[in-house]
Amino acid sequence: NLKDMVRRSAAVRSTKHGVHRGMSSVTIPPPACMLRPLEVPFRYLFGPGPSNVPPRILAAGGRPIIGHMHSEMFGIMNDIKKGIQYAFQTSNNMTLAMSGSGHTAMECAVFNIVEPGESVLVAINGIWGERVAEIAERMGAKVHTLFKTPGGHFTNAEIEQALAKHKPVLFFLTHGESSAGLVHPMDGVGDICHKYNCLLLVDSVASLGAAPLLMDQQNIDILYTGSQKALNAPPGTAPVSFSERACHKMFNRKTKPVSYLLDMTHLSNYWGNDGKPERIYHHTGPVSGFFALRESLAILAEMGLENSWSHHTEIAEYLWKGLEDLGLKLFIKDKDLRLPSVTTIAIPEGYDWKELLAYIMKHHRIEFTGGLGPSVGMVLRIGLMGYNCNKANAAMALAALEDALKQCRKSKA
């Protein structure tokens, strides 16, 4: 049997060196599941991410591996940097992609900019502000918060009042709050931050490529996004960019950042951004992930940012109208504040939202999701991003939802 075979093969004798290993110390047999082929179902990922990856990006990720320190890899990283500069609309030299999901960029920004004891202001109107507040708290910052329930947004006057009161070194705002389906107005926020000598950190994970955002023109100091939303690459890389003002704060610290992996003094060298003639090993970047990210940024560049923005808006409006025709209420009342990439629907009265989602997954192979963090139990979320963003998919999503509303019984309560 299998156990005996493992035992016999490991009872090795080496006469040359006089080594006798005797009975093997391997007592755990190969797991049965690992002796079966990998099985992954096909699903329409119409939730808030990850989104379906187009064949062209899958093919790029499947290219043969090269070394993370090869000159050709550095060339690909340079391309990625230029692609991010275009997507972010920035000329910042300190532009790169993190080896990890959006949370990695989130932590990188906070860990490198803020020192223990410094004041940070976080706008919370969904889950992402909650996360940043916790990250800043964990590394010893004095965290102050501006709070609104999901779907709420902050006026520039409210932001200015809080900046004047708390005098933070960093203010965090989510551009695309995917847990609530809200896109936050950005005009003037950067100017107010700079008036109070504060850096502006913005999360655009759910909004980049889907809603207009201009890093340099809107005076954003640190901007990050994720690879798996409108960019349609697999999860695992996270573009981020730092302004000159952010770099000045970051590279004149009294203390080292709490994370070695996310330390920008090392990462800036790995990405060829520190002006030094040689790149020195810091960590092994996700080579295949970078191939896929480069391809996704190339697709965005070919399409053009303005075209991508208007396309996402057009499909979102088609979806919104279809949802209203089904008698559903959109969670964000003001059209201008709706995130084009992730639409939130108020849970229809009398329905069990979990039952609706399970029915749609089982009978239509479509993923929609419920809320996240503070929006759980308040909304259903439909995401149509990048490759998934077209009328045929919007129509398929509407038909699946209509079917579920007919088939899932309303509760008697």
Side-chain angles (χ1 to χ4, degrees), residues 17-71:
H17 301 291
V19 175
H20 174 234
R21 295 206 181 105
M23 295 307 282
S24 164
S25 56
V26 175
T27 57
I28 309 294
C33 64
M34 299 314 297
L35 305 177
R36 293 195 299 265
L38 171 70
E39 284 180 34
V40 181
F42 175 79
R43 292 205 168 123
Y44 296 98
L45 301 179
F46 298 166
S51 48
N52 292 99
V53 179
R56 182 174 154 185
I57 295 175
L58 283 174
R63 292 281 185 98
I65 290 277
I66 56 174
H68 62 293
M69 300 297 285
H70 292 184
S71 60

Side-chain angles (χ1 to χ4, degrees), residues 47-101:
S51 48
N52 292 99
V53 179
R56 182 174 154 185
I57 295 175
L58 283 174
R63 292 281 185 98
I65 290 277
I66 56 174
H68 62 293
M69 300 297 285
H70 292 184
S71 60
E72 296 86 351
M73 193 65 222
F74 294 154
I76 289 164
M77 290 164 79
N78 293 342
D79 291 351
I80 289 170
K81 177 179 169 176
K82 288 192 174 72
I84 297 168
Q85 287 172 326
Y86 171 69
F88 284 6
Q89 286 297 287
T90 183
S91 54
N92 292 337
N93 170 56
M94 201 55 69
T95 300
L96 61 152
M98 301 302 299
S99 303
S101 67

Side-chain angles (χ1 to χ4, degrees), residues 120-131:
V120 171
L121 179 64
V122 180
I124 299 176
N125 60 340
I127 194 169
W128 308 119
E130 290 182 348
R131 289 281 163 94

Side-chain angles (χ1 to χ4, degrees), residues 71-392:
S71 60
E72 296 86 351
M73 193 65 222
F74 294 154
I76 289 164
M77 290 164 79
N78 293 342
D79 291 351
I80 289 170
K81 177 179 169 176
K82 288 192 174 72
I84 297 168
Q85 287 172 326
Y86 171 69
F88 284 6
Q89 286 297 287
T90 183
S91 54
N92 292 337
N93 170 56
M94 201 55 69
T95 300
L96 61 152
M98 301 302 299
S99 303
S101 67
H103 278 83
T104 319
M106 188 189 269
E107 291 208 328
C108 175
V110 176
F111 289 171
N112 282 280
I113 295 293
V114 185
E115 296 200 60
E118 288 184 328
S119 174
V120 171
L121 179 64
V122 180
I124 299 176
N125 60 340
I127 194 169
W128 308 119
E130 290 182 348
R131 289 281 163 94
V132 170
E134 175 157 347
I135 289 164
E137 209 168 82
R138 283 179 179 220
M139 53 75 52
K142 283 186 187 135
V143 180
H144 308 279
T145 57
L146 269 174
F147 181 80
K148 294 268 168 113
T149 53
H153 73 286
F154 306 90
T155 65
N156 286 6
E158 286 171 324
I159 291 167
E160 181 159 11
Q161 197 181 359
L163 289 171
K165 183 181 175 185
H166 300 297
K167 300 176 179 56
V169 298
L170 185 71
F171 172 56
F172 170 83
L173 187 61
T174 312
H175 180 237
E177 183 42 90
S178 55
S179 66
L182 181 114
V183 65
H184 204 287
M186 289 307 306
D187 287 342
V189 179
D191 297 330
I192 296 166
C193 286
H194 294 177
K195 179 179 164 185
Y196 291 90
N197 197 27
C198 171
L199 297 168
L200 174 60
L201 167 62
V202 173
D203 179 313
S204 69
V205 172
S207 58
L208 188 89
L213 191 62
L214 306 160
M215 184 173 190
D216 288 0
Q217 284 180 48
Q218 292 174 316
N219 279 318
I220 297 166
D221 291 294
I222 310 112
L223 179 65
Y224 66 87
T225 193
S227 56
Q228 76 278 18
K229 310 278 184 165
L231 286 176
N232 298 135
T237 58
V240 64
S241 183
F242 297 83
S243 70
E244 286 289 326
R245 292 171 86 254
C247 288
H248 186 263
K249 170 88 172 79
M250 184 159 68
F251 296 128
N252 288 285
R253 298 172 59 97
K254 296 178 192 72
T255 58
K256 286 183 177 181
V258 293
S259 170
Y260 180 85
L261 178 63
L262 306 181
D263 188 334
M264 280 299 297
T265 53
H266 299 302
L267 290 173
S268 62
N269 174 264
Y270 180 42
W271 280 84
N273 292 344
D274 66 351
K276 291 184 178 162
E278 199 179 354
R279 302 195 199 196
I280 295 157
Y281 170 73
H282 169 245
H283 76 284
T284 306
V287 173
S288 299
F290 288 155
F291 292 169
L293 179 63
R294 186 209 176 277
E295 200 68 11
S296 70
L297 291 163
I299 290 170
L300 181 62
E302 288 163 18
M303 184 177 195
L305 260 179
E306 295 96 334
N307 291 336
S308 184
W309 294 337
S310 59
H311 177 66
H312 280 84
T313 301
E314 182 195 333
I315 301 306
E317 285 175 349
Y318 175 81
L319 178 67
W320 300 338
K321 186 184 180 310
L323 291 166
E324 285 172 338
D325 288 347
L326 287 176
L328 295 165
K329 289 190 180 78
L330 293 164
F331 185 68
I332 305 292
K333 303 281 181 280
D334 184 342
K335 235 182 186 180
D336 295 335
L337 294 175
R338 286 180 197 156
L339 182 59
S341 46
V342 181
T343 294
T344 41
I345 306 156
I347 294 168
E349 213 176 315
Y351 283 96
D352 176 345
W353 63 272
K354 289 182 182 172
E355 190 189 346
L356 288 171
L357 297 180
Y359 179 89
I360 290 164
M361 176 65 88
K362 184 180 175 184
H363 296 278
H364 296 272
R365 289 193 302 171
I366 292 175
E367 177 193 51
F368 299 154
T369 69
L372 189 64
S375 71
V376 169
M378 296 170 85
V379 295
L380 297 175
R381 296 187 294 159
I382 299 179
L384 295 173
M385 298 178 254
Y387 177 62
N388 282 348
C389 184
N390 60 58
K391 270 196 178 158

